Amino acid sequence: MRGFLFFVFCLIIAGFWLVWRFNQEHAYQQMLERLQAESRVAQVLVTAVNYDEATGRNMTTIKFVEEDSTGHDMPPQYFTFSGNLIQFQSLVVRFEDKFVAAGDRFKGRSVYLFWKVFMLDGDKTQEFPITQVDEIPGGYKIPGKASGFENRFWKDFWRFAFDEDMARNAGVKSVQIEAPGVIFIPGYLYTIHIEHDGGLRIDAKPVEPIFRGEKILN
């Protein structure tokens, strides 16, 4: 009887291990799919320009819509600045060439993300986070509740992004920050690309005439 109970116990333990292993592998695969995106894209539109009598400035509100790593739009974010020369900051972490050459599961590609949007103005500089430090970036997050493995991966990512010694030990080749800006004006659609070499590029084109001055309903 004891032998039978021990056998059943072993089967239960094996079953739990297999389920845990399957869930971890599933999380691996989903994270890999998101990390394999070699560029991130966002679009920006000026939605309002209002004069503030108290400051004597035009307040510019922009709508920021980022694509996730699968090319789908993420929820829009709105930012209001006391001016229109606005900059976007990205963070790019590259790993050593040996990991890329070996096709390492997690270090074989760089990680790109939008970090902040800001307007420089001396002691009145305004800054808004797009991705909070220590959180899983929205464009990379696996839908649903984050697994322990996913949380650990991104916790380590943020640590070696800002800790030179830890970065070196983790095989990080470089951490690059880009922050270009343009003058945002109504009537133009701005597209932001994080290029494969880590450069951030902002392109602008006029909004189609039929959409100018119209409020588009979802």
Side-chain angles (χ1 to χ4, degrees):
M1 185 65 179
R2 289 183 178 178
F4 175 74
L5 291 176
F6 179 75
F7 176 71
V8 172
F9 175 76
C10 289
L11 284 179
I12 293 173
I13 294 298
F16 277 117
W17 183 86
L18 287 172
V19 170
W20 173 83
R21 185 65 179 174
F22 173 80
N23 289 336
Q24 188 177 52
E25 284 296 322
H26 186 58
Y28 277 151
Q29 189 57 43
Q30 288 183 296
M31 287 180 64
L32 284 173
E33 290 172 357
R34 285 157 175 77
L35 291 171
Q36 284 173 354
E38 291 201 358
S39 63
R40 304 303 301 277
V41 177
Q43 292 188 313
V44 183
L45 193 67
V46 175
T47 59
V49 178
N50 298 301
Y51 181 73
D52 184 354
E53 293 184 357
T55 62
R57 291 187 167 194
N58 284 322
M59 306 298 291
T60 300
T61 299
I62 59 172
K63 178 181 181 180
F64 173 82
V65 179
E66 183 182 357
E67 287 186 3
D68 66 16
S69 56
T70 63
H72 294 92
D73 288 346
M74 293 168 58
Q77 299 183 64
Y78 294 86
F79 307 103
T80 299
F81 293 93
S82 57
N84 62 351
L85 178 50
I86 300 167
Q87 295 176 252
F88 283 85
Q89 188 176 79
S90 71
L91 180 66
V92 182
V93 175
R94 290 188 182 81
F95 295 96
E96 295 286 354
D97 294 341
K98 63 182 179 181
F99 295 111
V100 178
D104 186 272
R105 297 185 76 180
F106 292 104
K107 300 178 182 179
R109 291 176 183 268
S110 301
V111 178
Y112 308 75
L113 56 88
F114 288 103
W115 188 13
K116 301 176 183 178
V117 57
F118 62 95
M119 189 192 81
L120 294 176
D121 189 18
D123 59 356
K124 296 180 181 178
T125 291
Q126 295 172 274
E127 177 183 294
F128 300 98
I130 295 174
T131 302
Q132 295 280 1
V133 174
D134 289 334
E135 77 173 10
I136 302 173
Y140 289 115
K141 190 179 187 317
I142 299 172
K145 186 177 181 180
S147 67
F149 172 78
E150 187 181 13
N151 281 324
R152 287 193 302 274
F153 175 89
W154 286 106
K155 183 178 180 179
D156 287 342
F157 167 82
W158 285 107
R159 288 175 63 194
F160 61 62
F162 301 108
D163 186 322
E164 185 176 347
D165 291 334
M166 184 176 179
R168 190 182 303 110
N169 293 333
V172 172
K173 182 179 182 179
S174 66
V175 177
Q176 182 170 318
I177 295 175
E178 294 277 336
V182 298
I183 296 176
F184 286 86
I185 59 177
Y188 281 81
L189 179 65
Y190 299 86
T191 302
I192 309 173
H193 302 271
I194 299 179
E195 299 179 324
H196 296 188
D197 62 359
L200 202 65
R201 188 181 85 246
I202 303 177
D203 298 328
K205 67 177 182 179
V207 174
E208 294 293 333
I210 192 171
F211 295 120
R212 292 177 189 168
E214 295 294 334
K215 181 177 180 181
I216 308 302
L217 300 177
N218 292 328

